[in-house]
Amino acid sequence: MASNVSELTTYDAYLAGEWKKSSSGETIAIQSPYLHDTIGRVQAVTQDEVDQAIKAAHKAQKEWASLSLSERGVFLNRWADELVKNEQDIARSVMKEVGKGFKDSRKEVVRTADLIRYTVQEALHMHGESLRGDGFPGGPQKKLGIVERVPLGVVLAISPFNYPINLAASKIAPALMAGNGVIFKPATQGSISGIKMIEALDRAGLPKGLLSLTTGRGSVIGDYLVEHKGIDMISFTGGSKTGRHLSKQSVMIPLVLELGGKDPAIVCDDADMDVAVKSIMNGAFSYSGQRCTAIKRVLVNEKVADELVNRLKAEVEKLTIGSPEDDSTIVPLISDKSADFVQSLIDDALTKKATLVTGNKRERNLIYPTLLDHVTEDMDVAWIEPFGPVLPIIRVSSDEQAVEMANKSEYGLQASVFSQDIDRALEVAKEVEAGTVQINGRTERGPDHFPFLGVKASGMGVQGIHNSLVSMSRQRVTVMNLK
Ligand code: NAP
Ligand code: G3P
């Protein structure tokens, strides 16, 4: 468990059923993006500790897989209860570690408990199927097939910084319910929150060794984890660059990748402007735009562009800016490096003659919400994912041109279409290359039981509770050859 070293807490890793310091003797300082101070240290685990963790997971998984779904569910429901019991403490950790507003951090913890409970119920109702041989032409075959789902073995769950609890549990819960062991590698900035989440799972009594929490920089320990022969499936959420790298390292095992996005909001000339403005504001700027499913470009019909830009300007200038402790919408970005990157996109657009509607102000890693109009295809911000509060407005002359621009992106996570004519909206939605298209609403992953996927550079495979249970298990067919 955590141990206090002077005034700073140095957290243990959870390895093969034990909370302990790494034999590497190395720890990683976790900096708060808004306190600009170290808020704790986590272990940099060694390759040997990874080996031990994976070995222990395989050993414990045999016993775990023999438990019934309802027996497994007891542990997970207890985990959900522990998370809710410690909601404030965990939420405070999320806020300090990734700079997310306290209210949003608390919502993330509760959302995660709901996700875990729903995963238990979903698994309990996945009954498999039976098949009769004579259902196929060629005469009655006295065969009866029984199709069940069985675990894959040990799942490697790698999560990003921006939802350090929810996106981690969205992997761990289905992996465990499907009967697997788990190796959990949290984002470095998100590790303390991940540790608190796993402390709750440990208190729920999960069998020792079944899950390990291997903290450490992805750039140092990531490849070793991904290439490890003891890993039977990888569920990754993070940037497209990392995802592409990881897909080249992993060999012949199932892989689910949830990656970056450049979600467009397509605003048709008959859009309900109140709905469009509210959805775009919330979709583009909540948590400073640090959401994979954030609206990251607006493709607006030129007939209504001026009205939309004026209304967005007024709303952007009302956004609360400051500390996550005050539940500001615009908070300091995760790192100075991220802020530099976002600023570079703004600078590039302005150099190439974009119109600055509002924003382009910066205080260290706090980027003020920035609206850029008349963005053209030669500007990086039209195509690159900022992961920050900058919104490019691209004017189009028709629905067809909007679809063409939407699909020109390498990304295909989600898109929003705003029109008061549902047939027209469906027509546009049908043509957009994305995992999900929202009609008259903001782009978002939730609710968590919906399928969630990205196409093209936005991912591979499908998450969402049911699909995650399926991707973290396999079919086993037993055929009875009857007399
Ligand atoms: P990231 O830099 O790609 O890191 C994601 C995770 O991968 C972290 O745990 C990271 O560890 C780890 N990692 C880094 N290098 C690795 C390697 N070589 N092998 C294995 N793991 C490695 O992404 P992020 O900055 O945390 O999150 C922001 C990005 O994630 C954005 O692009 C966003 O769009 C995307 N995202 C997508 C979704 C979705 O559901 N589609 C959801 C959230 C975020 P370290 O932290 O130690 O580097
Ligand atoms: O970037 C994290 C992604 O999962 C966003 O979730 O529900 O805010 O769209 P949500």
Side-chain angles (χ1 to χ4, degrees), residues 424-439:
R424 178 177 179 183
L426 287 169
E427 264 310 298
V428 172
K430 205 172 66 187
E431 299 303 321
V432 173
E433 293 160 6
T436 303
V437 180
Q438 307 274 356
I439 293 180

Side-chain angles (χ1 to χ4, degrees), residues 4-65:
N4 276 303
V5 175
S6 67
E7 74 292 344
L8 210 55
T9 301
T10 296
Y11 294 87
D12 292 346
Y14 187 51
L15 300 167
E18 256 187 278
W19 290 98
K20 62 185 188 181
K21 306 225 169 320
S22 169
S23 60
S24 71
E26 243 184 273
T27 59
I28 303 168
I30 307 298
Q31 299 291 331
S32 167
Y34 71 98
L35 297 171
H36 302 301
D37 202 352
T38 302
I39 52 170
R41 309 185 74 86
V42 300
Q43 306 299 313
V45 302
T46 64
Q47 292 186 358
D48 180 54
E49 285 159 349
V50 165
D51 293 345
Q52 297 313 316
I54 292 173
K55 196 162 152 238
H58 275 285
K59 187 159 169 275
Q61 187 266 337
K62 299 271 172 293
E63 170 70 20
W64 177 253

Side-chain angles (χ1 to χ4, degrees), residues 74-119:
V74 168
F75 293 98
L76 271 81
N77 284 329
R78 272 195 220 134
W79 183 24
D81 297 343
E82 280 295 324
L83 290 176
V84 172
K85 221 187 308 176
N86 295 277
E87 177 200 321
Q88 300 261 354
D89 177 46
I90 297 172
R92 200 164 296 109
S93 166
V94 170
M95 176 182 72
K96 287 193 175 157
E97 196 168 17
V98 300
K100 185 177 283 189
F102 188 55
K103 212 159 50 182
D104 285 344
S105 300
R106 290 183 59 183
K107 267 195 228 159
E108 180 175 344
V109 177
V110 173
R111 173 180 179 180
T112 303
D114 293 341
L115 180 147
I116 294 166
R117 292 185 182 120
Y118 194 102
T119 302

Side-chain angles (χ1 to χ4, degrees), residues 111 162-163 167 290-293 387 442-446 448 452:
R111 173 180 179 180
N162 64 338
Y163 277 79
L167 280 171
Q290 295 179 109
R291 291 167 54 241
C292 61
T293 46
F387 231 56
R442 79 171 196 166
T443 44
E444 60 183 344
R445 168 172 56 108
D448 291 340
F452 181 68

Side-chain angles (χ1 to χ4, degrees), residues 341-356:
F341 179 66
V342 173
Q343 188 62 55
S344 72
L345 293 175
I346 297 171
D347 296 345
D348 170 79
L350 296 178
T351 307
K352 293 172 183 169
K353 305 283 174 255
T355 306
L356 176 63

Side-chain angles (χ1 to χ4, degrees), residues 84-220:
V84 172
K85 221 187 308 176
N86 295 277
E87 177 200 321
Q88 300 261 354
D89 177 46
I90 297 172
R92 200 164 296 109
S93 166
V94 170
M95 176 182 72
K96 287 193 175 157
E97 196 168 17
V98 300
K100 185 177 283 189
F102 188 55
K103 212 159 50 182
D104 285 344
S105 300
R106 290 183 59 183
K107 267 195 228 159
E108 180 175 344
V109 177
V110 173
R111 173 180 179 180
T112 303
D114 293 341
L115 180 147
I116 294 166
R117 292 185 182 120
Y118 194 102
T119 302
V120 172
Q121 288 309 313
E122 183 68 21
L124 288 173
H125 295 91
M126 287 171 73
H127 298 298
E129 59 178 330
S130 65
L131 301 162
R132 295 179 56 83
D134 57 11
F136 192 78
Q141 298 198 26
K142 296 273 183 221
K143 287 178 180 288
L144 180 62
I146 296 173
V147 185
E148 303 161 86
R149 297 209 71 86
V150 296
L152 294 170
V154 174
V155 169
L156 172 59
I158 303 178
S159 56
F161 79 82
N162 64 338
Y163 277 79
I165 306 290
N166 185 265
L167 280 171
S170 70
K171 301 169 186 301
I172 295 168
L176 290 174
M177 268 315 285
N180 298 291
V182 177
I183 302 296
F184 168 37
K185 166 38 209 147
T188 293
Q189 209 145 351
S191 295
I192 298 175
S193 307
I195 286 165
K196 288 181 179 284
M197 179 180 72
I198 300 304
E199 284 174 347
L201 181 54
D202 188 22
R203 287 195 300 273
L206 192 78
K208 299 289 180 196
L210 183 65
L211 175 142
S212 280
L213 164 55
T214 55
T215 46
R217 290 203 188 288
S219 53
V220 174

Side-chain angles (χ1 to χ4, degrees), residues 275-287:
V275 170
V277 168
K278 185 163 175 281
S279 304
I280 291 171
M281 286 306 298
N282 189 309
F285 294 105
S286 59
Y287 187 36

